[in-house]
Amino acid sequence: MEDPLVGKAAEILSRARRVVALTGAGISAESGVPTFRGKDGLWRQFRAEDLATPEAFARDPKLVWEWYEWRRGLIARCAPNAGHVTLAAWERVFPRFTLITQNVDGLHPSAGSTNILELHGNIWKVRCTREGTVTDNRDVPLREIPPHCPSCGALLRPHIVWFGESLDQAVIGRAFKESAACEVMVVVGTSAIVHPAASLPHYAAEAGAAVIEVNPDPTPLSPYATVSLRGPAGQLLSTLKPRETVS
Ligand code: OAD
């Protein structure tokens, strides 16, 4: 029998034309990518200030790169799950669908999503610390640690937003614009505590959007959600079929 809350969420989605999904680490959990704050979460094993700040990189770029090298190796062995695949398909279901992700693992593009705002960067991109140029780098393992820019020889850094750094203004600006304009925001697998990403569902709700949360556990967003679906994203999103395809 269908869970009535899943039915309610599907009903809300079946009427929507402008939809935004906001994802966090939880959507990749079923692919085997560790979350940050869960039981075996990265921030329970490592100190963010040692590895994910500009100060840490200035102090010890090799250590920081070794940690990213380990994460890149881990993610390279993971494949998109049913949750990523469902969100990629939603680009063809809704007349306007934007995916906003806090994840840096690149599993959304691997699943086929194209209209993506990657708020916190991408672990498969590197940035020259002198020129600012961003390039793809899928080497596993890396050819040197720390890697250097092939054009100017300066250090390369992961193209990731670290603690204490600002998000790309164009990317977060678009995320707020899409959030204000959507009819439904589906918030998947995020602890909803890291700002500005955590503000987006509130911004959408204030502009009149319904908010559907998909997460096995309650979050600070739960009291504000129109519907909270409790369970794993891969399983729930694939059952959350909008009743009919709108065009
Ligand atoms: P967190 O690790 O804080 O939260 C993961 C959320 O996913 C939790 O609320 C879990 O309950 C939920 N979850 C776990 N398994 C799930 C599943 N199978 N399906 C759905 N949900 C599941 O990760 P984020 O909220 O993404 O920043 O963290 C936000 C940011 O903090 C990250 O982008 C990262 C981190 O520091 C940067 O890297 C810049």
Side-chain angles (χ1 to χ4, degrees):
M1 209 180 71
E2 188 182 76
D3 174 345
L5 287 179
V6 171
K8 184 175 176 194
E11 170 69 29
I12 291 170
L13 280 168
S14 71
R15 292 193 301 265
R17 304 176 67 81
R18 296 167 79 126
V19 176
V20 167
L22 170 67
T23 65
I27 195 165
S28 297
E30 287 152 86
S31 294
V33 181
T35 63
F36 292 92
R37 298 173 182 82
K39 188 167 68 64
D40 300 315
L42 295 174
W43 296 150
R44 290 181 188 261
Q45 305 169 54
F46 303 100
R47 280 159 41 97
E49 52 274 44
D50 292 342
L51 300 162
T53 63
E55 293 77 20
F57 188 71
R59 202 165 47 233
D60 195 343
K62 185 163 174 281
L63 176 75
V64 170
W65 264 115
E66 279 166 355
W67 189 63
Y68 279 97
E69 164 87 332
W70 170 73
R71 285 180 61 197
R72 283 161 62 104
L74 200 157
I75 294 166
R77 293 193 295 277
C78 298
N81 65 54
H84 300 102
V85 170
T86 299
L87 294 185
W90 282 6
E91 285 188 8
R92 298 184 298 277
V93 170
F94 300 105
R96 181 152 170 177
F97 178 73
T98 306
L99 178 57
I100 305 173
T101 189
Q102 298 166 85
N103 298 347
V104 300
D105 58 31
L107 291 179
H108 283 304
S110 296
S113 286
T114 57
N115 192 17
I116 314 180
L117 298 172
E118 290 180 319
L119 297 181
H120 295 161
N122 187 306
I123 204 162
W124 303 110
K125 292 183 177 166
V126 294
R127 187 162 87 234
C128 175
T129 53
R130 184 179 298 148
E131 299 170 327
T133 8
V134 177
T135 46
D136 288 338
N137 180 316
R138 293 210 155 248
D139 297 342
V140 176
L142 286 158
R143 286 172 203 183
E144 55 164 349
I145 295 183
H148 291 84
C149 176
S151 92
C152 76
L155 267 181
L156 291 172
R157 59 164 280 176
H159 184 50
I160 287 190
V161 180
W162 284 327
F163 288 97
E165 293 185 319
S166 302
L167 277 66
D168 181 315
Q169 284 311 299
V171 176
I172 188 65
R174 271 192 63 203
F176 272 106
K177 211 165 139 208
E178 293 295 336
S179 301
C182 71
E183 293 153 345
V184 182
M185 181 179 277
V186 184
V187 183
V188 187
T190 175
S191 54
I193 55 170
V194 175
H195 290 273
S199 313
L200 295 170
H202 296 281
Y203 199 68
E206 272 160 31
V211 174
I212 299 170
E213 183 181 51
V214 180
N215 197 312
D217 296 319
T219 73
L221 176 66
S222 304
Y224 302 93
T226 317
V227 184
S228 287
L229 303 179
R230 295 276 163 253
Q235 193 186 311
L236 275 173
L237 284 176
S238 47
T239 57
L240 196 60
K241 289 206 176 58
R243 292 237 155 75
E244 59 198 65
T245 304
V246 284
S247 56

